[in-house]
Amino acid sequence: MIPRHCLLFLCVTFASCTRGSAPSVDSASVSDLPAQAVTPPNAESGAAGATSSACPRTGRWALCSLEKRLTQSGFVVRRVDGEAPRRAGFSVPPTAYTLGHSRLEVFVYPDEAALARDVARIDTVTVSPRGKPNAWWATPTFVRSANMVAVFLTDSPVQAERLTLAITAGAPQPN
């Protein structure tokens, strides 16, 4: 067995070696540093236009926040040029994307009440008006969150699950 005083020596030596590897602030105090150096990166500056390029964080979906969420989830998101065709049962036009070999059509509503009126008339399994046949070229995955419906057309159940989890995590909430 190792004597106690040897263990104590080893612990002190180890602690002093690791302490020296941590970055240190030079002789200037924190109050001497410029304000921006100590401001957290996600803090709002309060200045008008400071976040003009950012998506609105309102608790509702916007296309820019959806695109950001999907990109963060590992999807390669490309908006389809031109207008997507109107879909029966939906009162708003879709925005179409390709995600790899799959297609995503997104219906963003002004509020949850307008979305609820449309969804009440839609069969969410076939994503078509109740009593009508499936009009999609593949089995659709229906995803609803806040003021948005997404219809994902893919033959990959793993991709469908990833997309569902990314969207049902919710729209960006206000700060």
Side-chain angles (χ1 to χ4, degrees), residues 127-168:
V127 192
S128 58
R130 293 189 187 277
K132 303 284 183 179
N134 177 0
W136 305 90
W137 57 268
T139 302
T141 299
F142 178 88
V143 184
R144 176 182 179 178
S145 177
N147 64 314
M148 181 184 70
V149 167
V151 180
F152 192 41
L153 304 168
T154 184
D155 56 358
S156 170
V158 172
Q159 296 295 333
E161 182 180 17
R162 282 181 56 214
L163 179 111
T164 300
L165 292 173
I167 293 173
T168 58

PDB file of all heavy atoms in Angstrom, residues 127-168:
ATOM      1  N   VAL A 127     -54.332  12.715 -45.705  1.00  0.00           N
ATOM      2  CA  VAL A 127     -54.090  14.140 -45.900  1.00  0.00           C
ATOM      3  C   VAL A 127     -54.848  14.628 -47.136  1.00  0.00           C
ATOM      4  O   VAL A 127     -54.300  15.193 -48.080  1.00  0.00           O
ATOM      5  CB  VAL A 127     -52.591  14.483 -45.971  1.00  0.00           C
ATOM      6  CG1 VAL A 127     -52.394  15.993 -45.874  1.00  0.00           C
ATOM      7  CG2 VAL A 127     -51.805  13.793 -44.867  1.00  0.00           C
ATOM      8  N   SER A 128     -56.140  14.368 -47.090  1.00  0.00           N
ATOM      9  CA  SER A 128     -57.059  14.799 -48.139  1.00  0.00           C
ATOM     10  C   SER A 128     -58.409  15.040 -47.486  1.00  0.00           C
ATOM     11  O   SER A 128     -58.639  14.606 -46.357  1.00  0.00           O
ATOM     12  CB  SER A 128     -57.152  13.734 -49.236  1.00  0.00           C
ATOM     13  OG  SER A 128     -57.576  12.511 -48.688  1.00  0.00           O
ATOM     14  N   PRO A 129     -59.318  15.723 -48.186  1.00  0.00           N
ATOM     15  CA  PRO A 129     -60.645  15.927 -47.597  1.00  0.00           C
ATOM     16  C   PRO A 129     -61.286  14.587 -47.235  1.00  0.00           C
ATOM     17  O   PRO A 129     -61.092  13.579 -47.926  1.00  0.00           O
ATOM     18  CB  PRO A 129     -61.413  16.645 -48.706  1.00  0.00           C
ATOM     19  CG  PRO A 129     -60.355  17.332 -49.517  1.00  0.00           C
ATOM     20  CD  PRO A 129     -59.178  16.395 -49.480  1.00  0.00           C
ATOM     21  N   ARG A 130     -62.025  14.580 -46.132  1.00  0.00           N
ATOM     22  CA  ARG A 130     -62.658  13.343 -45.657  1.00  0.00           C
ATOM     23  C   ARG A 130     -63.496  12.704 -46.764  1.00  0.00           C
ATOM     24  O   ARG A 130     -64.240  13.374 -47.461  1.00  0.00           O
ATOM     25  CB  ARG A 130     -63.528  13.619 -44.445  1.00  0.00           C
ATOM     26  CG  ARG A 130     -62.709  14.040 -43.241  1.00  0.00           C
ATOM     27  CD  ARG A 130     -63.568  14.110 -41.985  1.00  0.00           C
ATOM     28  NE  ARG A 130     -62.822  14.672 -40.886  1.00  0.00           N
ATOM     29  CZ  ARG A 130     -61.993  13.982 -40.105  1.00  0.00           C
ATOM     30  NH1 ARG A 130     -61.827  12.702 -40.307  1.00  0.00           N
ATOM     31  NH2 ARG A 130     -61.352  14.570 -39.124  1.00  0.00           N
ATOM     32  N   GLY A 131     -63.310  11.413 -46.962  1.00  0.00           N
ATOM     33  CA  GLY A 131     -64.046  10.673 -47.969  1.00  0.00           C
ATOM     34  C   GLY A 131     -63.416  10.687 -49.351  1.00  0.00           C
ATOM     35  O   GLY A 131     -63.886  10.003 -50.251  1.00  0.00           O
ATOM     36  N   LYS A 132     -62.374  11.459 -49.529  1.00  0.00           N
ATOM     37  CA  LYS A 132     -61.687  11.527 -50.826  1.00  0.00           C
ATOM     38  C   LYS A 132     -60.444  10.647 -50.786  1.00  0.00           C
ATOM     39  O   LYS A 132     -59.851  10.430 -49.742  1.00  0.00           O
ATOM     40  CB  LYS A 132     -61.263  12.974 -51.151  1.00  0.00           C
ATOM     41  CG  LYS A 132     -62.403  13.957 -51.166  1.00  0.00           C
ATOM     42  CD  LYS A 132     -63.212  13.815 -52.410  1.00  0.00           C
ATOM     43  CE  LYS A 132     -64.317  14.882 -52.405  1.00  0.00           C
ATOM     44  NZ  LYS A 132     -65.131  14.833 -53.560  1.00  0.00           N
ATOM     45  N   PRO A 133     -60.020  10.138 -51.960  1.00  0.00           N
ATOM     46  CA  PRO A 133     -58.821   9.291 -51.980  1.00  0.00           C
ATOM     47  C   PRO A 133     -57.539  10.113 -51.781  1.00  0.00           C
ATOM     48  O   PRO A 133     -57.533  11.336 -51.964  1.00  0.00           O
ATOM     49  CB  PRO A 133     -58.851   8.669 -53.383  1.00  0.00           C
ATOM     50  CG  PRO A 133     -59.631   9.637 -54.198  1.00  0.00           C
ATOM     51  CD  PRO A 133     -60.639  10.263 -53.266  1.00  0.00           C
ATOM     52  N   ASN A 134     -56.492   9.411 -51.431  1.00  0.00           N
ATOM     53  CA  ASN A 134     -55.173  10.015 -51.271  1.00  0.00           C
ATOM     54  C   ASN A 134     -54.734  10.598 -52.616  1.00  0.00           C
ATOM     55  O   ASN A 134     -54.642   9.896 -53.607  1.00  0.00           O
ATOM     56  CB  ASN A 134     -54.177   8.964 -50.788  1.00  0.00           C
ATOM     57  CG  ASN A 134     -52.763   9.483 -50.656  1.00  0.00           C
ATOM     58  OD1 ASN A 134     -52.479  10.638 -50.915  1.00  0.00           O
ATOM     59  ND2 ASN A 134     -51.867   8.613 -50.240  1.00  0.00           N
ATOM     60  N   ALA A 135     -54.451  11.900 -52.643  1.00  0.00           N
ATOM     61  CA  ALA A 135     -54.048  12.554 -53.885  1.00  0.00           C
ATOM     62  C   ALA A 135     -52.530  12.717 -53.992  1.00  0.00           C
ATOM     63  O   ALA A 135     -52.038  13.329 -54.924  1.00  0.00           O
ATOM     64  CB  ALA A 135     -54.715  13.927 -53.972  1.00  0.00           C
ATOM     65  N   TRP A 136     -51.797  12.177 -53.044  1.00  0.00           N
ATOM     66  CA  TRP A 136     -50.346  12.322 -53.010  1.00  0.00           C
ATOM     67  C   TRP A 136     -49.682  11.165 -53.738  1.00  0.00           C
ATOM     68  O   TRP A 136     -50.224  10.078 -53.819  1.00  0.00           O
ATOM     69  CB  TRP A 136     -49.854  12.388 -51.568  1.00  0.00           C
ATOM     70  CG  TRP A 136     -50.535  13.466 -50.770  1.00  0.00           C
ATOM     71  CD1 TRP A 136     -51.680  13.339 -50.040  1.00  0.00           C
ATOM     72  CD2 TRP A 136     -50.129  14.828 -50.630  1.00  0.00           C
ATOM     73  NE1 TRP A 136     -52.010  14.535 -49.453  1.00  0.00           N
ATOM     74  CE2 TRP A 136     -51.070  15.460 -49.800  1.00  0.00           C
ATOM     75  CE3 TRP A 136     -49.062  15.549 -51.126  1.00  0.00           C
ATOM     76  CZ2 TRP A 136     -50.964  16.813 -49.446  1.00  0.00           C
ATOM     77  CZ3 TRP A 136     -48.958  16.892 -50.769  1.00  0.00           C
ATOM     78  CH2 TRP A 136     -49.905  17.504 -49.948  1.00  0.00           C
ATOM     79  N   TRP A 137     -48.482  11.364 -54.258  1.00  0.00           N
ATOM     80  CA  TRP A 137     -47.763  10.323 -54.989  1.00  0.00           C
ATOM     81  C   TRP A 137     -47.126   9.288 -54.073  1.00  0.00           C
ATOM     82  O   TRP A 137     -46.668   8.249 -54.531  1.00  0.00           O
ATOM     83  CB  TRP A 137     -46.721  10.925 -55.920  1.00  0.00           C
ATOM     84  CG  TRP A 137     -45.710  11.813 -55.250  1.00  0.00           C
ATOM     85  CD1 TRP A 137     -45.789  13.162 -55.092  1.00  0.00           C
ATOM     86  CD2 TRP A 137     -44.493  11.410 -54.638  1.00  0.00           C
ATOM     87  NE1 TRP A 137     -44.702  13.632 -54.416  1.00  0.00           N
ATOM     88  CE2 TRP A 137     -43.870  12.572 -54.123  1.00  0.00           C
ATOM     89  CE3 TRP A 137     -43.850  10.193 -54.459  1.00  0.00           C
ATOM     90  CZ2 TRP A 137     -42.654  12.552 -53.454  1.00  0.00           C
ATOM     91  CZ3 TRP A 137     -42.624  10.178 -53.791  1.00  0.00           C
ATOM     92  CH2 TRP A 137     -42.044  11.336 -53.296  1.00  0.00           C
ATOM     93  N   ALA A 138     -47.085   9.572 -52.768  1.00  0.00           N
ATOM     94  CA  ALA A 138     -46.530   8.637 -51.786  1.00  0.00           C
ATOM     95  C   ALA A 138     -47.391   8.725 -50.533  1.00  0.00           C
ATOM     96  O   ALA A 138     -48.221   9.625 -50.409  1.00  0.00           O
ATOM     97  CB  ALA A 138     -45.082   8.994 -51.462  1.00  0.00           C
ATOM     98  N   THR A 139     -47.182   7.807 -49.617  1.00  0.00           N
ATOM     99  CA  THR A 139     -47.924   7.861 -48.365  1.00  0.00           C
ATOM    100  C   THR A 139     -47.453   9.090 -47.584  1.00  0.00           C
ATOM    101  O   THR A 139     -46.273   9.218 -47.276  1.00  0.00           O
ATOM    102  CB  THR A 139     -47.668   6.591 -47.528  1.00  0.00           C
ATOM    103  OG1 THR A 139     -48.044   5.456 -48.299  1.00  0.00           O
ATOM    104  CG2 THR A 139     -48.459   6.632 -46.237  1.00  0.00           C
ATOM    105  N   PRO A 140     -48.387  10.007 -47.292  1.00  0.00           N
ATOM    106  CA  PRO A 140     -47.983  11.241 -46.627  1.00  0.00           C
ATOM    107  C   PRO A 140     -47.825  11.065 -45.119  1.00  0.00           C
ATOM    108  O   PRO A 140     -48.516  10.266 -44.493  1.00  0.00           O
ATOM    109  CB  PRO A 140     -49.134  12.202 -46.939  1.00  0.00           C
ATOM    110  CG  PRO A 140     -50.317  11.306 -47.099  1.00  0.00           C
ATOM    111  CD  PRO A 140     -49.790  10.020 -47.676  1.00  0.00           C
ATOM    112  N   THR A 141     -46.893  11.831 -44.560  1.00  0.00           N
ATOM    113  CA  THR A 141     -46.766  11.945 -43.108  1.00  0.00           C
ATOM    114  C   THR A 141     -47.294  13.324 -42.750  1.00  0.00           C
ATOM    115  O   THR A 141     -46.794  14.342 -43.244  1.00  0.00           O
ATOM    116  CB  THR A 141     -45.294  11.821 -42.667  1.00  0.00           C
ATOM    117  OG1 THR A 141     -44.808  10.540 -43.050  1.00  0.00           O
ATOM    118  CG2 THR A 141     -45.146  11.991 -41.169  1.00  0.00           C
ATOM    119  N   PHE A 142     -48.323  13.361 -41.914  1.00  0.00           N
ATOM    120  CA  PHE A 142     -48.992  14.599 -41.514  1.00  0.00           C
ATOM    121  C   PHE A 142     -48.407  15.050 -40.177  1.00  0.00           C
ATOM    122  O   PHE A 142     -48.403  14.290 -39.208  1.00  0.00           O
ATOM    123  CB  PHE A 142     -50.497  14.326 -41.375  1.00  0.00           C
ATOM    124  CG  PHE A 142     -51.305  15.497 -40.912  1.00  0.00           C
ATOM    125  CD1 PHE A 142     -51.817  16.403 -41.826  1.00  0.00           C
ATOM    126  CD2 PHE A 142     -51.585  15.678 -39.569  1.00  0.00           C
ATOM    127  CE1 PHE A 142     -52.584  17.467 -41.407  1.00  0.00           C
ATOM    128  CE2 PHE A 142     -52.358  16.748 -39.140  1.00  0.00           C
ATOM    129  CZ  PHE A 142     -52.855  17.646 -40.052  1.00  0.00           C
ATOM    130  N   VAL A 143     -47.900  16.292 -40.137  1.00  0.00           N
ATOM    131  CA  VAL A 143     -47.327  16.832 -38.905  1.00  0.00           C
ATOM    132  C   VAL A 143     -47.965  18.194 -38.651  1.00  0.00           C
ATOM    133  O   VAL A 143     -47.946  19.065 -39.521  1.00  0.00           O
ATOM    134  CB  VAL A 143     -45.794  16.989 -39.003  1.00  0.00           C
ATOM    135  CG1 VAL A 143     -45.217  17.455 -37.674  1.00  0.00           C
ATOM    136  CG2 VAL A 143     -45.134  15.695 -39.444  1.00  0.00           C
ATOM    137  N   ARG A 144     -48.507  18.359 -37.437  1.00  0.00           N
ATOM    138  CA  ARG A 144     -49.168  19.611 -37.064  1.00  0.00           C
ATOM    139  C   ARG A 144     -48.459  20.200 -35.851  1.00  0.00           C
ATOM    140  O   ARG A 144     -48.170  19.494 -34.888  1.00  0.00           O
ATOM    141  CB  ARG A 144     -50.628  19.336 -36.728  1.00  0.00           C
ATOM    142  CG  ARG A 144     -51.380  20.543 -36.247  1.00  0.00           C
ATOM    143  CD  ARG A 144     -52.806  20.186 -35.896  1.00  0.00           C
ATOM    144  NE  ARG A 144     -53.519  21.340 -35.402  1.00  0.00           N
ATOM    145  CZ  ARG A 144     -54.789  21.316 -35.052  1.00  0.00           C
ATOM    146  NH1 ARG A 144     -55.477  20.196 -35.144  1.00  0.00           N
ATOM    147  NH2 ARG A 144     -55.366  22.401 -34.613  1.00  0.00           N
ATOM    148  N   SER A 145     -48.190  21.495 -35.914  1.00  0.00           N
ATOM    149  CA  SER A 145     -47.570  22.185 -34.787  1.00  0.00           C
ATOM    150  C   SER A 145     -47.955  23.652 -34.838  1.00  0.00           C
ATOM    151  O   SER A 145     -47.704  24.327 -35.846  1.00  0.00           O
ATOM    152  CB  SER A 145     -46.045  22.047 -34.845  1.00  0.00           C
ATOM    153  OG  SER A 145     -45.431  22.768 -33.806  1.00  0.00           O
ATOM    154  N   ALA A 146     -48.562  24.126 -33.762  1.00  0.00           N
ATOM    155  CA  ALA A 146     -48.976  25.528 -33.634  1.00  0.00           C
ATOM    156  C   ALA A 146     -49.793  25.948 -34.844  1.00  0.00           C
ATOM    157  O   ALA A 146     -50.888  25.439 -35.054  1.00  0.00           O
ATOM    158  CB  ALA A 146     -47.772  26.429 -33.400  1.00  0.00           C
ATOM    159  N   ASN A 147     -49.282  26.843 -35.683  1.00  0.00           N
ATOM    160  CA  ASN A 147     -50.024  27.377 -36.826  1.00  0.00           C
ATOM    161  C   ASN A 147     -49.568  26.782 -38.159  1.00  0.00           C
ATOM    162  O   ASN A 147     -49.755  27.383 -39.204  1.00  0.00           O
ATOM    163  CB  ASN A 147     -49.841  28.902 -36.883  1.00  0.00           C
ATOM    164  CG  ASN A 147     -48.401  29.295 -37.124  1.00  0.00           C
ATOM    165  OD1 ASN A 147     -47.489  28.763 -36.498  1.00  0.00           O
ATOM    166  ND2 ASN A 147     -48.182  30.221 -38.041  1.00  0.00           N
ATOM    167  N   MET A 148     -48.976  25.578 -38.109  1.00  0.00           N
ATOM    168  CA  MET A 148     -48.416  24.998 -39.327  1.00  0.00           C
ATOM    169  C   MET A 148     -48.781  23.526 -39.465  1.00  0.00           C
ATOM    170  O   MET A 148     -48.847  22.797 -38.489  1.00  0.00           O
ATOM    171  CB  MET A 148     -46.890  25.131 -39.302  1.00  0.00           C
ATOM    172  CG  MET A 148     -46.209  24.582 -40.534  1.00  0.00           C
ATOM    173  SD  MET A 148     -44.421  24.650 -40.423  1.00  0.00           S
ATOM    174  CE  MET A 148     -44.082  23.419 -39.198  1.00  0.00           C
ATOM    175  N   VAL A 149     -48.997  23.132 -40.712  1.00  0.00           N
ATOM    176  CA  VAL A 149     -49.124  21.722 -41.070  1.00  0.00           C
ATOM    177  C   VAL A 149     -48.031  21.433 -42.085  1.00  0.00           C
ATOM    178  O   VAL A 149     -47.805  22.213 -43.014  1.00  0.00           O
ATOM    179  CB  VAL A 149     -50.506  21.394 -41.691  1.00  0.00           C
ATOM    180  CG1 VAL A 149     -50.512  20.027 -42.342  1.00  0.00           C
ATOM    181  CG2 VAL A 149     -51.594  21.473 -40.639  1.00  0.00           C
ATOM    182  N   ALA A 150     -47.344  20.315 -41.874  1.00  0.00           N
ATOM    183  CA  ALA A 150     -46.331  19.870 -42.827  1.00  0.00           C
ATOM    184  C   ALA A 150     -46.757  18.510 -43.347  1.00  0.00           C
ATOM    185  O   ALA A 150     -47.205  17.654 -42.577  1.00  0.00           O
ATOM    186  CB  ALA A 150     -44.969  19.785 -42.150  1.00  0.00           C
ATOM    187  N   VAL A 151     -46.633  18.314 -44.643  1.00  0.00           N
ATOM    188  CA  VAL A 151     -46.921  17.027 -45.267  1.00  0.00           C
ATOM    189  C   VAL A 151     -45.607  16.555 -45.882  1.00  0.00           C
ATOM    190  O   VAL A 151     -45.070  17.185 -46.797  1.00  0.00           O
ATOM    191  CB  VAL A 151     -48.020  17.150 -46.344  1.00  0.00           C
ATOM    192  CG1 VAL A 151     -48.291  15.795 -46.979  1.00  0.00           C
ATOM    193  CG2 VAL A 151     -49.296  17.727 -45.735  1.00  0.00           C
ATOM    194  N   PHE A 152     -45.098  15.445 -45.348  1.00  0.00           N
ATOM    195  CA  PHE A 152     -43.804  14.922 -45.764  1.00  0.00           C
ATOM    196  C   PHE A 152     -44.020  13.671 -46.588  1.00  0.00           C
ATOM    197  O   PHE A 152     -44.689  12.733 -46.155  1.00  0.00           O
ATOM    198  CB  PHE A 152     -42.961  14.617 -44.525  1.00  0.00           C
ATOM    199  CG  PHE A 152     -41.511  14.349 -44.794  1.00  0.00           C
ATOM    200  CD1 PHE A 152     -40.788  15.088 -45.717  1.00  0.00           C
ATOM    201  CD2 PHE A 152     -40.850  13.362 -44.091  1.00  0.00           C
ATOM    202  CE1 PHE A 152     -39.442  14.851 -45.936  1.00  0.00           C
ATOM    203  CE2 PHE A 152     -39.503  13.115 -44.297  1.00  0.00           C
ATOM    204  CZ  PHE A 152     -38.798  13.859 -45.224  1.00  0.00           C
ATOM    205  N   LEU A 153     -43.465  13.658 -47.778  1.00  0.00           N
ATOM    206  CA  LEU A 153     -43.595  12.528 -48.692  1.00  0.00           C
ATOM    207  C   LEU A 153     -42.222  11.876 -48.823  1.00  0.00           C
ATOM    208  O   LEU A 153     -41.316  12.431 -49.451  1.00  0.00           O
ATOM    209  CB  LEU A 153     -44.097  13.010 -50.057  1.00  0.00           C
ATOM    210  CG  LEU A 153     -45.424  13.779 -50.008  1.00  0.00           C
ATOM    211  CD1 LEU A 153     -45.698  14.453 -51.328  1.00  0.00           C
ATOM    212  CD2 LEU A 153     -46.554  12.860 -49.608  1.00  0.00           C
ATOM    213  N   THR A 154     -42.087  10.709 -48.216  1.00  0.00           N
ATOM    214  CA  THR A 154     -40.819  10.001 -48.222  1.00  0.00           C
ATOM    215  C   THR A 154     -41.085   8.510 -48.102  1.00  0.00           C
ATOM    216  O   THR A 154     -42.138   8.093 -47.608  1.00  0.00           O
ATOM    217  CB  THR A 154     -39.912  10.465 -47.067  1.00  0.00           C
ATOM    218  OG1 THR A 154     -38.646   9.821 -47.175  1.00  0.00           O
ATOM    219  CG2 THR A 154     -40.513  10.163 -45.712  1.00  0.00           C
ATOM    220  N   ASP A 155     -40.124   7.721 -48.536  1.00  0.00           N
ATOM    221  CA  ASP A 155     -40.226   6.275 -48.342  1.00  0.00           C
ATOM    222  C   ASP A 155     -39.341   5.826 -47.176  1.00  0.00           C
ATOM    223  O   ASP A 155     -39.170   4.646 -46.954  1.00  0.00           O
ATOM    224  CB  ASP A 155     -39.876   5.526 -49.626  1.00  0.00           C
ATOM    225  CG  ASP A 155     -38.502   5.888 -50.175  1.00  0.00           C
ATOM    226  OD1 ASP A 155     -37.825   6.749 -49.582  1.00  0.00           O
ATOM    227  OD2 ASP A 155     -38.116   5.320 -51.213  1.00  0.00           O
ATOM    228  N   SER A 156     -38.790   6.778 -46.431  1.00  0.00           N
ATOM    229  CA  SER A 156     -37.920   6.471 -45.307  1.00  0.00           C
ATOM    230  C   SER A 156     -38.625   6.772 -43.988  1.00  0.00           C
ATOM    231  O   SER A 156     -38.826   7.935 -43.626  1.00  0.00           O
ATOM    232  CB  SER A 156     -36.631   7.299 -45.386  1.00  0.00           C
ATOM    233  OG  SER A 156     -35.897   7.165 -44.198  1.00  0.00           O
ATOM    234  N   PRO A 157     -38.968   5.742 -43.225  1.00  0.00           N
ATOM    235  CA  PRO A 157     -39.600   5.987 -41.915  1.00  0.00           C
ATOM    236  C   PRO A 157     -38.665   6.713 -40.944  1.00  0.00           C
ATOM    237  O   PRO A 157     -39.121   7.475 -40.099  1.00  0.00           O
ATOM    238  CB  PRO A 157     -39.951   4.595 -41.398  1.00  0.00           C
ATOM    239  CG  PRO A 157     -39.480   3.614 -42.394  1.00  0.00           C
ATOM    240  CD  PRO A 157     -38.892   4.334 -43.544  1.00  0.00           C
ATOM    241  N   VAL A 158     -37.375   6.517 -41.089  1.00  0.00           N
ATOM    242  CA  VAL A 158     -36.414   7.204 -40.215  1.00  0.00           C
ATOM    243  C   VAL A 158     -36.438   8.701 -40.490  1.00  0.00           C
ATOM    244  O   VAL A 158     -36.467   9.519 -39.565  1.00  0.00           O
ATOM    245  CB  VAL A 158     -34.991   6.622 -40.402  1.00  0.00           C
ATOM    246  CG1 VAL A 158     -33.959   7.433 -39.654  1.00  0.00           C
ATOM    247  CG2 VAL A 158     -34.947   5.169 -39.976  1.00  0.00           C
ATOM    248  N   GLN A 159     -36.446   9.090 -41.772  1.00  0.00           N
ATOM    249  CA  GLN A 159     -36.508  10.508 -42.127  1.00  0.00           C
ATOM    250  C   GLN A 159     -37.836  11.120 -41.667  1.00  0.00           C
ATOM    251  O   GLN A 159     -37.865  12.255 -41.189  1.00  0.00           O
ATOM    252  CB  GLN A 159     -36.335  10.701 -43.637  1.00  0.00           C
ATOM    253  CG  GLN A 159     -34.995  10.286 -44.166  1.00  0.00           C
ATOM    254  CD  GLN A 159     -33.862  11.142 -43.634  1.00  0.00           C
ATOM    255  OE1 GLN A 159     -34.035  12.288 -43.284  1.00  0.00           O
ATOM    256  NE2 GLN A 159     -32.685  10.561 -43.577  1.00  0.00           N
ATOM    257  N   ALA A 160     -38.918  10.360 -41.806  1.00  0.00           N
ATOM    258  CA  ALA A 160     -40.228  10.855 -41.375  1.00  0.00           C
ATOM    259  C   ALA A 160     -40.228  11.106 -39.867  1.00  0.00           C
ATOM    260  O   ALA A 160     -40.761  12.119 -39.393  1.00  0.00           O
ATOM    261  CB  ALA A 160     -41.321   9.862 -41.760  1.00  0.00           C
ATOM    262  N   GLU A 161     -39.624  10.212 -39.118  1.00  0.00           N
ATOM    263  CA  GLU A 161     -39.558  10.396 -37.663  1.00  0.00           C
ATOM    264  C   GLU A 161     -38.687  11.597 -37.300  1.00  0.00           C
ATOM    265  O   GLU A 161     -39.043  12.397 -36.436  1.00  0.00           O
ATOM    266  CB  GLU A 161     -39.015   9.143 -36.988  1.00  0.00           C
ATOM    267  CG  GLU A 161     -38.972   9.272 -35.476  1.00  0.00           C
ATOM    268  CD  GLU A 161     -38.443   8.030 -34.787  1.00  0.00           C
ATOM    269  OE1 GLU A 161     -37.813   7.181 -35.444  1.00  0.00           O
ATOM    270  OE2 GLU A 161     -38.654   7.922 -33.569  1.00  0.00           O
ATOM    271  N   ARG A 162     -37.550  11.753 -37.967  1.00  0.00           N
ATOM    272  CA  ARG A 162     -36.671  12.905 -37.703  1.00  0.00           C
ATOM    273  C   ARG A 162     -37.398  14.215 -37.974  1.00  0.00           C
ATOM    274  O   ARG A 162     -37.318  15.160 -37.196  1.00  0.00           O
ATOM    275  CB  ARG A 162     -35.412  12.841 -38.567  1.00  0.00           C
ATOM    276  CG  ARG A 162     -34.376  11.881 -38.064  1.00  0.00           C
ATOM    277  CD  ARG A 162     -33.140  11.851 -38.927  1.00  0.00           C
ATOM    278  NE  ARG A 162     -32.551  13.167 -39.083  1.00  0.00           N
ATOM    279  CZ  ARG A 162     -31.952  13.575 -40.187  1.00  0.00           C
ATOM    280  NH1 ARG A 162     -31.866  12.788 -41.245  1.00  0.00           N
ATOM    281  NH2 ARG A 162     -31.415  14.777 -40.249  1.00  0.00           N
ATOM    282  N   LEU A 163     -38.111  14.272 -39.080  1.00  0.00           N
ATOM    283  CA  LEU A 163     -38.844  15.486 -39.415  1.00  0.00           C
ATOM    284  C   LEU A 163     -39.940  15.745 -38.385  1.00  0.00           C
ATOM    285  O   LEU A 163     -40.110  16.868 -37.918  1.00  0.00           O
ATOM    286  CB  LEU A 163     -39.456  15.385 -40.816  1.00  0.00           C
ATOM    287  CG  LEU A 163     -40.239  16.649 -41.165  1.00  0.00           C
ATOM    288  CD1 LEU A 163     -39.541  17.414 -42.248  1.00  0.00           C
ATOM    289  CD2 LEU A 163     -41.646  16.308 -41.538  1.00  0.00           C
ATOM    290  N   THR A 164     -40.675  14.712 -38.019  1.00  0.00           N
ATOM    291  CA  THR A 164     -41.750  14.864 -37.038  1.00  0.00           C
ATOM    292  C   THR A 164     -41.207  15.383 -35.716  1.00  0.00           C
ATOM    293  O   THR A 164     -41.780  16.299 -35.113  1.00  0.00           O
ATOM    294  CB  THR A 164     -42.473  13.515 -36.836  1.00  0.00           C
ATOM    295  OG1 THR A 164     -43.022  13.098 -38.094  1.00  0.00           O
ATOM    296  CG2 THR A 164     -43.589  13.632 -35.817  1.00  0.00           C
ATOM    297  N   LEU A 165     -40.107  14.828 -35.248  1.00  0.00           N
ATOM    298  CA  LEU A 165     -39.516  15.285 -33.987  1.00  0.00           C
ATOM    299  C   LEU A 165     -39.030  16.729 -34.079  1.00  0.00           C
ATOM    300  O   LEU A 165     -39.191  17.503 -33.131  1.00  0.00           O
ATOM    301  CB  LEU A 165     -38.367  14.359 -33.581  1.00  0.00           C
ATOM    302  CG  LEU A 165     -38.784  12.951 -33.175  1.00  0.00           C
ATOM    303  CD1 LEU A 165     -37.551  12.077 -32.961  1.00  0.00           C
ATOM    304  CD2 LEU A 165     -39.657  12.976 -31.926  1.00  0.00           C
ATOM    305  N   ALA A 166     -38.446  17.095 -35.201  1.00  0.00           N
ATOM    306  CA  ALA A 166     -37.950  18.464 -35.362  1.00  0.00           C
ATOM    307  C   ALA A 166     -39.084  19.479 -35.309  1.00  0.00           C
ATOM    308  O   ALA A 166     -38.952  20.545 -34.695  1.00  0.00           O
ATOM    309  CB  ALA A 166     -37.189  18.593 -36.677  1.00  0.00           C
ATOM    310  N   ILE A 167     -40.209  19.157 -35.922  1.00  0.00           N
ATOM    311  CA  ILE A 167     -41.322  20.104 -35.981  1.00  0.00           C
ATOM    312  C   ILE A 167     -42.140  20.095 -34.697  1.00  0.00           C
ATOM    313  O   ILE A 167     -42.510  21.146 -34.189  1.00  0.00           O
ATOM    314  CB  ILE A 167     -42.206  19.822 -37.210  1.00  0.00           C
ATOM    315  CG1 ILE A 167     -41.418  20.128 -38.485  1.00  0.00           C
ATOM    316  CG2 ILE A 167     -43.496  20.636 -37.159  1.00  0.00           C
ATOM    317  CD1 ILE A 167     -42.121  19.746 -39.760  1.00  0.00           C
ATOM    318  N   THR A 168     -42.405  18.920 -34.162  1.00  0.00           N
ATOM    319  CA  THR A 168     -43.252  18.861 -32.963  1.00  0.00           C
ATOM    320  C   THR A 168     -42.533  19.335 -31.710  1.00  0.00           C
ATOM    321  O   THR A 168     -43.152  19.466 -30.663  1.00  0.00           O
ATOM    322  CB  THR A 168     -43.825  17.448 -32.746  1.00  0.00           C
ATOM    323  OG1 THR A 168     -42.749  16.511 -32.629  1.00  0.00           O
ATOM    324  CG2 THR A 168     -44.765  17.060 -33.858  1.00  0.00           C
TER     325      THR A 168
END
